[in-house]
Coordinates of all heavy atoms in Angstrom, one line a residue:
I112 N -6.1 -18.4 -6.9 CA -6.6 -17.0 -7.2 C -6.2 -16.8 -8.7 O -5.0 -16.8 -9.1 CB -6.0 -16.0 -6.3 CG1 -6.4 -16.2 -4.9 CG2 -6.4 -14.6 -6.7 CD1 -5.7 -15.3 -3.9
N113 N -7.2 -16.5 -9.5 CA -7.0 -16.2 -10.9 C -6.1 -14.9 -11.1 O -6.2 -14.0 -10.3 CB -8.4 -15.9 -11.5 CG -8.4 -15.6 -13.0 OD1 -7.4 -15.3 -13.6 ND2 -9.6 -15.7 -13.5
A114 N -5.3 -14.9 -12.1 CA -4.3 -13.8 -12.3 C -5.1 -12.5 -12.5 O -4.6 -11.4 -12.0 CB -3.4 -14.1 -13.5
I115 N -6.2 -12.5 -13.2 CA -6.9 -11.2 -13.4 C -7.5 -10.7 -12.1 O -7.5 -9.5 -11.8 CB -8.0 -11.4 -14.5 CG1 -7.4 -12.0 -15.8 CG2 -8.8 -10.2 -14.7 CD1 -6.5 -11.0 -16.5
V116 N -8.1 -11.6 -11.3 CA -8.7 -11.2 -10.0 C -7.6 -10.7 -9.1 O -7.7 -9.7 -8.4 CB -9.4 -12.4 -9.4 CG1 -9.9 -12.1 -8.0 CG2 -10.6 -12.8 -10.3
F117 N -6.5 -11.4 -9.1 CA -5.4 -11.0 -8.2 C -4.9 -9.6 -8.6 O -4.5 -8.8 -7.8 CB -4.2 -12.0 -8.2 CG -3.1 -11.6 -7.3 CD1 -3.2 -11.5 -6.0 CD2 -1.8 -11.3 -7.9 CE1 -2.2 -11.2 -5.2 CE2 -0.8 -11.0 -7.1 CZ -0.9 -10.9 -5.7
N118 N -4.8 -9.4 -10.0 CA -4.4 -8.1 -10.5 C -5.3 -7.0 -10.0 O -4.9 -5.8 -9.9 CB -4.4 -8.2 -12.0 CG -4.0 -6.8 -12.6 OD1 -4.9 -6.1 -13.0 ND2 -2.7 -6.5 -12.7
K119 N -6.6 -7.3 -9.8 CA -7.5 -6.3 -9.3 C -7.4 -6.1 -7.8 O -7.8 -5.0 -7.3 CB -9.0 -6.7 -9.7 CG -9.2 -6.6 -11.2 CD -10.6 -7.1 -11.6 CE -10.8 -7.1 -13.1 NZ -12.1 -7.5 -13.5
L120 N -7.0 -7.0 -7.1 CA -6.9 -6.9 -5.6 C -5.5 -6.4 -5.2 O -5.4 -5.8 -4.1 CB -7.1 -8.3 -5.0 CG -8.5 -8.9 -5.2 CD1 -8.6 -10.3 -4.6 CD2 -9.6 -8.0 -4.6
L121 N -4.5 -6.7 -6.0 CA -3.1 -6.3 -5.6 C -3.0 -4.8 -5.3 O -2.3 -4.4 -4.3 CB -2.1 -6.7 -6.7 CG -0.7 -6.4 -6.4 CD1 -0.2 -7.1 -5.2 CD2 0.2 -6.8 -7.6
P122 N -3.6 -3.9 -6.1 CA -3.4 -2.4 -5.8 C -3.9 -2.0 -4.4 O -3.4 -1.0 -3.8 CB -4.3 -1.8 -6.8 CG -4.2 -2.7 -8.0 CD -4.3 -4.1 -7.3
I123 N -4.8 -2.8 -3.8 CA -5.2 -2.4 -2.4 C -4.1 -2.6 -1.4 O -3.8 -1.7 -0.6 CB -6.4 -3.3 -2.0 CG1 -7.6 -3.1 -2.9 CG2 -6.8 -3.1 -0.6 CD1 -8.7 -4.2 -2.8
A124 N -3.4 -3.7 -1.5 CA -2.2 -3.9 -0.6 C -1.1 -2.9 -0.9 O -0.5 -2.3 0.0 CB -1.7 -5.3 -0.8
L125 N -0.9 -2.6 -2.2 CA 0.2 -1.6 -2.5 C -0.2 -0.2 -2.0 O 0.7 0.5 -1.5 CB 0.4 -1.6 -4.0 CG 0.9 -2.9 -4.7 CD1 1.0 -2.8 -6.2 CD2 2.2 -3.3 -4.1
G126 N -1.5 0.1 -2.1 CA -1.9 1.4 -1.6 C -1.8 1.5 -0.1 O -1.4 2.6 0.4
L127 N -2.1 0.4 0.6 CA -2.0 0.4 2.1 C -0.5 0.5 2.5 O -0.2 1.3 3.4 CB -2.6 -0.8 2.7 CG -4.1 -0.8 2.7 CD1 -4.7 -2.2 3.1 CD2 -4.6 0.3 3.6
I128 N 0.4 -0.2 1.8 CA 1.8 -0.1 2.1 C 2.3 1.3 1.9 O 3.1 1.9 2.7 CB 2.6 -1.1 1.3 CG1 2.3 -2.5 1.7 CG2 4.1 -0.9 1.4 CD1 2.8 -3.6 0.8
S129 N 1.9 1.9 0.8 CA 2.3 3.3 0.5 C 1.8 4.3 1.5 O 2.5 5.2 2.0 CB 1.8 3.8 -0.9 OG 2.3 3.0 -1.9
T130 N 0.6 4.1 2.0 CA 0.0 5.0 3.0 C 0.8 4.8 4.3 O 1.1 5.9 5.0 CB -1.5 4.6 3.2 OG1 -2.2 4.8 2.0 CG2 -2.1 5.5 4.3
I131 N 1.1 3.6 4.7 CA 1.9 3.4 6.0 C 3.2 4.1 5.9 O 3.6 4.8 6.8 CB 2.0 1.9 6.3 CG1 0.6 1.4 6.6 CG2 3.0 1.7 7.4 CD1 0.5 -0.1 6.7
Y132 N 4.0 3.9 4.8 CA 5.3 4.5 4.7 C 5.2 6.0 4.6 O 5.9 6.7 5.3 CB 6.0 4.0 3.4 CG 6.7 2.7 3.6 CD1 6.6 1.7 2.7 CD2 7.6 2.6 4.6 CE1 7.3 0.5 2.8 CE2 8.3 1.4 4.8 CZ 8.1 0.4 3.9 OH 8.8 -0.8 4.0
C133 N 4.2 6.5 3.9 CA 4.0 8.0 3.8 C 3.7 8.6 5.2 O 4.3 9.7 5.5 CB 2.9 8.3 2.8 SG 2.7 10.1 2.6
Y134 N 2.9 8.0 5.9 CA 2.6 8.5 7.3 C 3.8 8.5 8.1 O 4.1 9.5 8.8 CB 1.4 7.7 7.9 CG 0.9 8.3 9.2 CD1 0.0 9.3 9.2 CD2 1.4 7.8 10.4 CE1 -0.5 9.8 10.4 CE2 0.9 8.3 11.6 CZ 0.0 9.3 11.6 OH -0.4 9.9 12.7
R135 N 4.6 7.5 8.1 CA 5.7 7.4 9.0 C 6.8 8.4 8.5 O 7.5 9.0 9.4 CB 6.3 6.0 9.0 CG 5.4 5.0 9.8 CD 5.9 3.7 9.9 NE 5.1 2.9 10.7 CZ 5.4 1.6 11.1 NH1 6.5 1.1 10.7 NH2 4.5 1.0 11.8
V136 N 7.0 8.5 7.2 CA 8.0 9.5 6.7 C 7.6 10.9 7.1 O 8.4 11.7 7.6 CB 8.1 9.4 5.2 CG1 8.8 10.6 4.6 CG2 8.9 8.1 4.8
S137 N 6.3 11.2 7.0 CA 5.8 12.5 7.4 C 6.0 12.8 8.9 O 6.4 13.9 9.2 CB 4.3 12.6 7.1 OG 4.1 12.5 5.7
L138 N 5.8 11.8 9.7 CA 6.0 12.0 11.1 C 7.5 12.2 11.5 O 7.9 12.8 12.5 CB 5.4 10.9 12.0 CG 3.9 10.9 12.1 CD1 3.5 9.8 13.0 CD2 3.4 12.2 12.5
Q139 N 8.4 11.6 10.7 CA 9.8 11.7 10.9 C 10.3 13.1 10.5 O 11.2 13.7 11.1 CB 10.6 10.7 10.2 CG 10.5 9.3 10.9 CD 11.4 8.3 10.3 OE1 12.1 8.5 9.3 NE2 11.4 7.1 10.9
I140 N 9.7 13.7 9.5 CA 10.1 15.0 9.0 C 9.4 16.1 9.9 O 10.1 17.0 10.3 CB 9.7 15.2 7.5 CG1 10.5 14.3 6.7 CG2 9.9 16.6 7.1 CD1 10.0 14.2 5.2
L141 N 8.1 15.9 10.1 CA 7.4 16.9 11.0 C 6.5 16.1 11.9 O 5.5 15.5 11.5 CB 6.5 17.8 10.1 CG 5.7 18.8 10.8 CD1 6.6 19.9 11.5 CD2 4.8 19.6 9.8

């Protein structure tokens, strides 16, 4: 996988990880 192509695909995984953590944190608070 080319570095430039990977750089364009990496934010998708980072966004999904952030979404999962945010949802779980929210459910623990409320």
